[in-house]
Amino acid sequence: MTKGAAPDASYENRSFGAPGAERTVVLLRSGVSTLSDPRPDATARRDARIVAVGLTIDDIDDPAAYRGATPAEATASAIARFVTEESHGRPVGLVGVGEAGELAVMVAAHLGENVDRLALVAVPRPESELGASEVAELLDRIAAKTLLMNGQADPTAASGAAEWFKKHLASARVEMVPRTDDPDARLILADVWERVLSHVAPATVR
């Protein structure tokens, strides 16, 4: 595992998995576990290098009315430059989780064909009509094969959110995770990490 300064001085990153692997997967999420390996046992079974970028809620803030570039747009631009440097000309996989999902969409739009696989996990539909219009325009630019994973009981990112994203993507598959006994259950990345890796790092099982 390695740790260091990432896209610029305001971000950290942590790498885990196979250090010299040709396949790189970039993981974007916010919260206390942003730099942790979602499931080390599943990661260890892949010949892939996972790079988790440390993000805060302020980094992914994208207000509907904002003069100049929003914080999220600045973050996406910086991360896109970082990914370009880290990938050494090879296509990468990109994972966006929860509130960082729209940021992952921005990064994927910046990178174009440099992202060939995208996974959006428990990502809510944009709240406002203006926000939805802007995200839809970005999604229209993404050609990467996309996996949309939402929880059937997720209070903010259930089937409706997944179907909205699918409608705006060129190549997308929706997979719903069964309900749990908890009516307020959010989908946890660790529970689906193995499936996510099979999508964003295909043919890397060792």
Side-chain angles (χ1 to χ4, degrees):
M1 181 180 295
T2 60
K3 184 177 179 180
D8 62 34
S10 64
Y11 307 107
E12 283 186 309
N13 78 86
R14 179 167 288 174
S15 299
F16 35 85
E22 289 193 8
R23 185 64 176 179
T24 298
V25 173
V26 178
L27 173 58
L28 303 177
R29 54 182 173 161
S30 60
V32 295
S33 60
T34 184
L35 291 175
S36 65
D37 188 337
R39 248 189 70 190
D41 60 328
T43 301
R45 289 193 287 271
R46 294 276 167 180
D47 186 21
R49 174 175 174 249
I50 317 300
V51 181
V53 178
L55 298 170
T56 68
I57 293 298
D58 290 339
D59 294 326
I60 62 177
D61 189 23
D62 194 30
Y66 195 89
R67 293 185 178 181
T70 68
E73 289 168 344
T75 301
S77 179
I79 292 175
R81 291 194 299 271
F82 170 68
V83 173
T84 299
E85 294 171 359
E86 289 288 304
S87 62
H88 304 292
R90 303 186 187 99
V92 302
L94 185 62
V95 182
V97 183
E99 287 71 19
E102 288 187 23
L103 178 69
V105 168
M106 291 181 185
V107 174
H110 270 291
L111 292 171
E113 294 181 355
N114 289 337
V115 172
D116 62 353
R117 296 289 179 118
L118 172 66
L120 300 177
V121 180
V123 178
R125 175 178 172 166
E127 293 182 2
S128 69
E129 185 175 340
L130 176 59
S133 175
E134 291 175 347
V135 174
E137 289 181 8
L138 292 172
L139 293 170
D140 287 340
R141 292 162 48 188
I142 296 174
K145 292 184 178 179
T146 303
L147 174 66
L148 302 162
M149 296 198 77
N150 284 13
Q152 291 179 352
D154 194 306
T156 61
S159 60
E163 290 297 335
W164 184 86
F165 278 94
K166 181 181 179 182
K167 181 173 68 174
H168 296 285
L169 284 159
S171 176
R173 174 186 174 87
V174 172
E175 293 185 11
M176 300 301 300
V177 179
R179 294 177 182 272
T180 68
D181 293 334
D182 183 354
D184 296 320
R186 298 298 306 273
L187 180 59
I188 305 301
L189 179 61
D191 293 339
V192 296
W193 182 236
E194 192 157 18
R195 173 65 185 105
V196 169
L197 281 178
S198 73
H199 175 75
V200 294
T204 58
V205 173
R206 39 183 182 180

